[in-house]
Amino acid sequence: MIVSHKWEELTSAQLADRLAADPECVALIPVGATEQHGPHLPVGTDTIIATALADAAAGDAAVVLPPLAFGASFFHGTRLAGTVAFSGEETAVTAGLVAEACVDSGFRRLLFVNGHVGNAAALWIACDRFRREFPDLRIGVMQWWDLTPEIAQRATEDAADWHANAAETSIMLALRPELVDTDKMRDADDPDRTEGAVFRYAVQHVSTNGVTGYPSRATKSMGLELWQDVVAAAQDLVERAHTEKPPLG
């Protein structure tokens, strides 16, 4: 009987027993951010979603670590309150240290569960370092918005370079509706201004309020439907991560 899938709720002996029973148990590491999410979403949105996804996807194949709540959010700047940011380099190092600690505890398979688009490059750097140091172990990144082509299409329906948009707001309406300011949500729309841009800009140069997209289109029913598909795809990915072998042995 599995006592809990949450790392922090298990004793050291229980974690050791879990690995003895299942040496290929996957360690899921939620990585989010603490950053402005427009006038209508909480600054912990990315961490909330990453943690909820890891919890929902774990099943019997994984354990879930406490989330990393600070990520690569320097580009959000300081004009809008609430952002507590790491650089990309700091995010990569921090994520790598957590992964190495999981190895010290005996885990051989690890997945970062990313809730913040800005973390993507940093987490791949962490994976590259890990693969070099531990070539016989396994590490990867799971991100809700690109689990399937259909999910990716819905995530970017109102903005390619989205943030606090209809899809993300809908998910929060499904997961934590009490944290969404629905009054401000209705007037928070701000279009994606990055199409055709050569350079990558700080938030204040592309958004008037920290939003990119149309949160006014968000609904709880849309969020529940999208979340159901996201969780199903994530559960499948974790199951595959539990047993996957390298293409070349």
Side-chain angles (χ1 to χ4, degrees):
M1 176 181 175
I2 296 174
V3 178
S4 173
H5 68 261
K6 294 178 180 290
W7 185 289
E8 70 269 25
E9 294 179 359
L10 298 169
T11 67
S12 176
Q14 287 170 332
L15 276 167
D17 290 345
R18 179 75 187 272
L19 278 173
D22 180 10
E24 306 307 324
C25 180
V26 183
L28 301 180
I29 306 169
V31 187
T34 300
E35 62 181 36
Q36 70 80 23
H37 259 73
H40 64 293
L41 290 182
V43 297
T45 290
D46 293 340
T47 306
I48 291 167
I49 294 176
T51 305
L53 183 57
D55 286 339
D60 294 337
V63 295
V64 180
L65 277 86
L68 293 173
F70 305 110
S73 302
F74 267 12
F75 61 95
H76 280 276
T78 59
R79 181 173 64 86
L80 297 169
T83 300
V84 181
F86 283 172
S87 68
E89 296 88 347
E90 289 165 336
T91 302
V93 168
T94 302
L97 288 172
V98 174
E100 290 177 19
C102 291
V103 173
D104 290 340
S105 288
F107 284 82
R108 302 174 49 83
R109 296 172 183 259
L110 303 92
L111 273 177
F112 295 117
V113 182
N114 185 22
H116 169 49
V117 174
N119 288 338
L123 293 178
W124 281 120
I125 290 171
C127 287
D128 282 348
R129 291 174 178 165
F130 185 95
R131 288 186 294 181
R132 183 178 178 89
E133 187 168 352
F134 305 104
D136 295 327
L137 306 186
R138 306 287 169 253
I139 194 165
V141 180
M142 177 169 73
Q143 307 181 134
W144 73 261
W145 55 86
D146 61 8
L147 282 165
T148 69
E150 293 77 15
I151 290 169
Q153 182 178 5
R154 280 183 279 175
T156 59
E157 212 161 41
D158 59 342
D161 188 21
W162 55 271
H163 189 250
N165 68 333
E168 191 170 38
T169 302
S170 294
I171 286 176
M172 285 298 290
L173 285 170
L175 294 178
R176 297 294 303 274
E178 77 279 8
L179 299 181
V180 181
D181 188 331
T182 53
D183 290 334
K184 292 186 177 177
M185 178 188 92
R186 297 186 185 97
D187 299 316
D189 295 353
D190 209 47
D192 187 350
R193 298 178 175 88
T194 63
E195 184 177 357
V198 174
F199 298 111
R200 297 181 64 83
Y201 293 96
V203 167
Q204 67 264 30
H205 296 305
V206 296
S207 175
T208 62
N209 62 356
V211 173
T212 304
Y214 293 85
S216 68
R217 302 175 187 173
T219 65
K220 184 172 183 175
S221 61
M222 182 194 306
L224 289 169
E225 182 181 354
L226 177 56
W227 188 247
Q228 182 178 29
D229 292 344
V230 165
V231 168
Q235 288 172 336
D236 175 70
L237 190 150
V238 171
E239 286 292 339
R240 289 186 284 121
H242 186 231
T243 58
E244 184 175 276
K245 292 180 170 46
L248 296 175

